[in-house]
Short mmCIF file of all heavy atoms in Angstrom, two decimals:
data_model
loop_
_atom_site.label_atom_id
_atom_site.label_comp_id
_atom_site.label_asym_id
_atom_site.label_seq_id
_atom_site.Cartn_x
_atom_site.Cartn_y
_atom_site.Cartn_z
N ALA A 148 -81.49 -136.44 -21.35
CA ALA A 148 -81.69 -135.63 -20.15
C ALA A 148 -80.36 -135.16 -19.57
O ALA A 148 -80.30 -134.13 -18.90
CB ALA A 148 -82.46 -136.44 -19.11
N SER A 150 -76.98 -134.31 -21.17
CA SER A 150 -76.15 -134.15 -22.37
C SER A 150 -74.66 -134.20 -22.03
O SER A 150 -73.83 -134.51 -22.90
CB SER A 150 -76.49 -132.81 -23.05
OG SER A 150 -76.32 -131.74 -22.14
N THR A 240 -73.04 -145.06 14.68
CA THR A 240 -72.01 -145.31 15.68
C THR A 240 -71.29 -146.61 15.35
O THR A 240 -71.81 -147.43 14.59
CB THR A 240 -72.61 -145.43 17.10
OG1 THR A 240 -73.45 -146.60 17.15
CG2 THR A 240 -73.41 -144.20 17.46
N ASP A 259 -93.32 -135.27 24.32
CA ASP A 259 -94.19 -136.29 24.89
C ASP A 259 -93.54 -137.67 25.00
O ASP A 259 -92.66 -137.84 25.82
CB ASP A 259 -95.51 -136.36 24.13
CG ASP A 259 -96.67 -136.70 25.06
OD1 ASP A 259 -96.41 -137.01 26.24
OD2 ASP A 259 -97.82 -136.66 24.62
N LYS A 265 -86.91 -153.52 25.10
CA LYS A 265 -86.26 -153.71 26.40
C LYS A 265 -84.76 -153.40 26.36
O LYS A 265 -84.13 -153.28 27.42
CB LYS A 265 -86.49 -155.13 26.91
CG LYS A 265 -86.09 -156.23 25.95
CD LYS A 265 -86.61 -157.56 26.42
CE LYS A 265 -86.35 -158.66 25.39
NZ LYS A 265 -86.93 -159.95 25.81
N GLU A 278 -86.18 -134.95 31.90
CA GLU A 278 -85.80 -133.53 32.08
C GLU A 278 -86.01 -132.73 30.79
O GLU A 278 -86.18 -131.51 30.83
CB GLU A 278 -84.34 -133.44 32.51
CG GLU A 278 -84.07 -133.96 33.92
CD GLU A 278 -82.61 -133.88 34.31
OE1 GLU A 278 -81.81 -133.41 33.45
OE2 GLU A 278 -82.26 -134.26 35.43
N ASN A 290 -87.28 -161.13 33.88
CA ASN A 290 -86.97 -161.17 35.31
C ASN A 290 -87.37 -159.89 36.04
O ASN A 290 -86.98 -159.67 37.18
CB ASN A 290 -85.48 -161.43 35.52
CG ASN A 290 -84.61 -160.35 34.91
OD1 ASN A 290 -85.10 -159.52 34.14
ND2 ASN A 290 -83.33 -160.35 35.24
N ARG A 301 -99.64 -149.40 26.00
CA ARG A 301 -99.56 -150.81 25.62
C ARG A 301 -99.83 -150.99 24.12
O ARG A 301 -99.16 -151.78 23.45
CB ARG A 301 -100.57 -151.64 26.43
CG ARG A 301 -100.21 -151.79 27.90
CD ARG A 301 -101.19 -152.70 28.61
NE ARG A 301 -100.87 -152.77 30.02
CZ ARG A 301 -99.96 -153.60 30.55
NH1 ARG A 301 -99.29 -154.41 29.75
NH2 ARG A 301 -99.73 -153.61 31.84
N ILE A 310 -91.04 -149.26 13.12
CA ILE A 310 -89.62 -148.91 12.95
C ILE A 310 -88.83 -150.12 12.48
O ILE A 310 -87.85 -149.98 11.75
CB ILE A 310 -89.04 -148.33 14.26
CG1 ILE A 310 -87.67 -147.67 13.97
CG2 ILE A 310 -88.94 -149.37 15.36
CD1 ILE A 310 -87.15 -146.83 15.12
N GLU A 324 -77.00 -151.60 3.57
CA GLU A 324 -76.05 -152.56 4.12
C GLU A 324 -75.55 -153.51 3.04
O GLU A 324 -76.34 -154.20 2.40
CB GLU A 324 -76.71 -153.38 5.24
CG GLU A 324 -75.76 -154.41 5.86
CD GLU A 324 -76.46 -155.34 6.85
OE1 GLU A 324 -77.50 -155.93 6.47
OE2 GLU A 324 -75.97 -155.48 7.98
N GLY A 333 -67.36 -144.06 0.29
CA GLY A 333 -68.33 -144.90 -0.39
C GLY A 333 -69.40 -145.41 0.57
O GLY A 333 -70.59 -145.47 0.22
N GLY A 341 -79.35 -143.98 0.64
CA GLY A 341 -80.48 -144.82 1.02
C GLY A 341 -81.45 -144.10 1.94
O GLY A 341 -82.67 -144.22 1.80
N VAL A 365 -102.96 -136.77 24.86
CA VAL A 365 -102.39 -135.61 25.55
C VAL A 365 -103.19 -135.29 26.80
O VAL A 365 -102.64 -135.00 27.87
CB VAL A 365 -102.35 -134.38 24.61
CG1 VAL A 365 -101.92 -133.14 25.36
CG2 VAL A 365 -101.42 -134.64 23.43
#
Side-chain angles (χ1 to χ4, degrees):
S150 56
T240 65
D259 214 353
K265 54 192 174 184
E278 291 179 0
N290 60 349
R301 289 184 183 276
I310 193 168
E324 180 187 52
V365 173

